[in-house]
Amino acid sequence: MLLSAAVSWSLYICRYGRILAQIDETNGSQLTPLSLTTWKSILLAALYLIWGVADVAGDFMHQHADNENVSLSGVLSHAWGGYGDWHQWLAIFYSAVGVALAHLIQGIGQKRVASAESNVLLSSEPIWTYLFAFVLLHESLHGVQGYVGGALIIAATLLSSGALEIPTPASAKKVYASDEE
């Protein structure tokens, strides 16, 4: 399951980069990072709405089958206890706007960087998460696995950006040289 999630993420980043590379704002194309982010947000909102309605409907059916006194507020409070609290709705709105803004910035950045490189850079999110947790929350890594994983992500980032170079046999260098021509 985890491997399929990683493959899906990589395919998404590569496909998104390919679409962004085809955008030419000088010829009047209506496809921009903002329009892609808007359509992506609308699609995700629709899918989440379907999921939420199915969840609430399932709770409704379950309560109705148990011959309980069924009310919409009872079903909603069972599905999500904070539905009546404006603080909860404010947090949802804030997270939706934040995610949309992050996707917009990602699209603008990915338009300028190759898909493979942006995939590795975006995959470095656990490193940034740890750094912010370390600085803001005084968290620390526990165990060798965290350090090894972090080192692998940093190494992959440096390799993809060209900051590090792995020595290759002369025959491989010839193959790479012919690809560049």
mmCIF file of all heavy atoms in Angstrom, residues 159 164-177 180:
data_model
loop_
_atom_site.group_PDB
_atom_site.id
_atom_site.type_symbol
_atom_site.label_atom_id
_atom_site.label_comp_id
_atom_site.label_asym_id
_atom_site.label_seq_id
_atom_site.Cartn_x
_atom_site.Cartn_y
_atom_site.Cartn_z
ATOM 1 N N LEU A 159 21.750 14.662 -5.056
ATOM 2 C CA LEU A 159 22.053 13.978 -6.322
ATOM 3 C C LEU A 159 21.191 14.505 -7.464
ATOM 4 O O LEU A 159 21.677 14.734 -8.570
ATOM 5 C CB LEU A 159 21.853 12.471 -6.167
ATOM 6 C CG LEU A 159 22.956 11.714 -5.455
ATOM 7 C CD1 LEU A 159 22.522 10.281 -5.160
ATOM 8 C CD2 LEU A 159 24.231 11.720 -6.269
ATOM 9 N N LEU A 164 25.879 16.736 -5.967
ATOM 10 C CA LEU A 164 26.752 15.579 -5.787
ATOM 11 C C LEU A 164 26.822 14.813 -7.098
ATOM 12 O O LEU A 164 25.860 14.766 -7.847
ATOM 13 C CB LEU A 164 26.203 14.637 -4.712
ATOM 14 C CG LEU A 164 26.236 15.105 -3.274
ATOM 15 C CD1 LEU A 164 25.634 14.028 -2.384
ATOM 16 C CD2 LEU A 164 27.641 15.409 -2.826
ATOM 17 N N GLU A 165 27.935 14.192 -7.348
ATOM 18 C CA GLU A 165 28.075 13.411 -8.563
ATOM 19 C C GLU A 165 28.618 12.041 -8.198
ATOM 20 O O GLU A 165 29.600 11.930 -7.471
ATOM 21 C CB GLU A 165 29.032 14.117 -9.528
ATOM 22 C CG GLU A 165 28.857 13.671 -10.953
ATOM 23 C CD GLU A 165 29.659 14.542 -11.911
ATOM 24 O OE1 GLU A 165 29.513 15.761 -11.850
ATOM 25 O OE2 GLU A 165 30.428 13.949 -12.678
ATOM 26 N N ILE A 166 27.958 11.005 -8.683
ATOM 27 C CA ILE A 166 28.411 9.644 -8.434
ATOM 28 C C ILE A 166 29.374 9.270 -9.544
ATOM 29 O O ILE A 166 29.043 9.410 -10.726
ATOM 30 C CB ILE A 166 27.233 8.660 -8.401
ATOM 31 C CG1 ILE A 166 26.303 9.006 -7.248
ATOM 32 C CG2 ILE A 166 27.711 7.233 -8.286
ATOM 33 C CD1 ILE A 166 25.079 8.133 -7.158
ATOM 34 N N PRO A 167 30.571 8.779 -9.190
ATOM 35 C CA PRO A 167 31.510 8.357 -10.236
ATOM 36 C C PRO A 167 30.920 7.202 -11.040
ATOM 37 O O PRO A 167 30.374 6.270 -10.485
ATOM 38 C CB PRO A 167 32.749 7.902 -9.468
ATOM 39 C CG PRO A 167 32.525 8.263 -8.047
ATOM 40 C CD PRO A 167 31.095 8.610 -7.863
ATOM 41 N N THR A 168 31.003 7.309 -12.345
ATOM 42 C CA THR A 168 30.477 6.268 -13.218
ATOM 43 C C THR A 168 31.605 5.738 -14.094
ATOM 44 O O THR A 168 32.570 6.445 -14.387
ATOM 45 C CB THR A 168 29.358 6.816 -14.123
ATOM 46 O OG1 THR A 168 29.862 7.915 -14.864
ATOM 47 C CG2 THR A 168 28.176 7.265 -13.298
ATOM 48 N N PRO A 169 31.480 4.487 -14.532
ATOM 49 C CA PRO A 169 32.497 3.937 -15.437
ATOM 50 C C PRO A 169 32.529 4.722 -16.749
ATOM 51 O O PRO A 169 31.557 5.386 -17.117
ATOM 52 C CB PRO A 169 32.035 2.497 -15.685
ATOM 53 C CG PRO A 169 30.968 2.215 -14.691
ATOM 54 C CD PRO A 169 30.476 3.514 -14.180
ATOM 55 N N ALA A 170 33.613 4.631 -17.450
ATOM 56 C CA ALA A 170 33.791 5.361 -18.705
ATOM 57 C C ALA A 170 32.710 5.003 -19.718
ATOM 58 O O ALA A 170 32.237 5.861 -20.459
ATOM 59 C CB ALA A 170 35.178 5.083 -19.285
ATOM 60 N N SER A 171 32.279 3.733 -19.760
ATOM 61 C CA SER A 171 31.253 3.334 -20.725
ATOM 62 C C SER A 171 29.926 4.034 -20.449
ATOM 63 O O SER A 171 29.210 4.420 -21.358
ATOM 64 C CB SER A 171 31.062 1.820 -20.713
ATOM 65 O OG SER A 171 30.640 1.403 -19.421
ATOM 66 N N ALA A 172 29.596 4.217 -19.174
ATOM 67 C CA ALA A 172 28.350 4.908 -18.834
ATOM 68 C C ALA A 172 28.453 6.377 -19.207
ATOM 69 O O ALA A 172 27.478 6.974 -19.641
ATOM 70 C CB ALA A 172 28.049 4.753 -17.352
ATOM 71 N N LYS A 173 29.627 6.974 -19.063
ATOM 72 C CA LYS A 173 29.804 8.369 -19.422
ATOM 73 C C LYS A 173 29.589 8.574 -20.916
ATOM 74 O O LYS A 173 29.031 9.574 -21.341
ATOM 75 C CB LYS A 173 31.185 8.873 -19.012
ATOM 76 C CG LYS A 173 31.317 9.057 -17.516
ATOM 77 C CD LYS A 173 32.676 9.610 -17.154
ATOM 78 C CE LYS A 173 32.777 9.748 -15.637
ATOM 79 N NZ LYS A 173 34.069 10.261 -15.237
ATOM 80 N N LYS A 174 29.983 7.582 -21.727
ATOM 81 C CA LYS A 174 29.781 7.676 -23.173
ATOM 82 C C LYS A 174 28.290 7.656 -23.503
ATOM 83 O O LYS A 174 27.829 8.364 -24.362
ATOM 84 C CB LYS A 174 30.500 6.538 -23.892
ATOM 85 C CG LYS A 174 32.009 6.659 -23.874
ATOM 86 C CD LYS A 174 32.641 5.465 -24.560
ATOM 87 C CE LYS A 174 34.160 5.513 -24.416
ATOM 88 N NZ LYS A 174 34.782 4.311 -24.939
ATOM 89 N N VAL A 175 27.545 6.799 -22.807
ATOM 90 C CA VAL A 175 26.110 6.704 -23.048
ATOM 91 C C VAL A 175 25.434 8.023 -22.690
ATOM 92 O O VAL A 175 24.617 8.546 -23.438
ATOM 93 C CB VAL A 175 25.480 5.534 -22.231
ATOM 94 C CG1 VAL A 175 23.951 5.583 -22.309
ATOM 95 C CG2 VAL A 175 26.003 4.207 -22.717
ATOM 96 N N TYR A 176 25.807 8.609 -21.542
ATOM 97 C CA TYR A 176 25.228 9.872 -21.136
ATOM 98 C C TYR A 176 25.605 10.992 -22.097
ATOM 99 O O TYR A 176 24.807 11.863 -22.401
ATOM 100 C CB TYR A 176 25.656 10.255 -19.710
ATOM 101 C CG TYR A 176 25.030 9.401 -18.636
ATOM 102 C CD1 TYR A 176 25.799 8.811 -17.641
ATOM 103 C CD2 TYR A 176 23.664 9.176 -18.610
ATOM 104 C CE1 TYR A 176 25.238 8.030 -16.662
ATOM 105 C CE2 TYR A 176 23.081 8.384 -17.638
ATOM 106 C CZ TYR A 176 23.873 7.816 -16.664
ATOM 107 O OH TYR A 176 23.313 7.053 -15.707
ATOM 108 N N ALA A 177 26.822 10.972 -22.586
ATOM 109 C CA ALA A 177 27.259 12.007 -23.518
ATOM 110 C C ALA A 177 26.485 11.934 -24.835
ATOM 111 O O ALA A 177 26.120 12.944 -25.406
ATOM 112 C CB ALA A 177 28.761 11.875 -23.785
ATOM 113 N N GLU A 180 22.980 13.508 -24.481
ATOM 114 C CA GLU A 180 22.937 14.963 -24.393
ATOM 115 C C GLU A 180 23.023 15.617 -25.773
ATOM 116 O O GLU A 180 22.671 16.772 -25.926
ATOM 117 C CB GLU A 180 24.068 15.466 -23.500
ATOM 118 C CG GLU A 180 23.865 15.074 -22.039
ATOM 119 C CD GLU A 180 25.035 15.448 -21.163
ATOM 120 O OE1 GLU A 180 26.025 16.017 -21.692
ATOM 121 O OE2 GLU A 180 24.982 15.170 -19.962
#
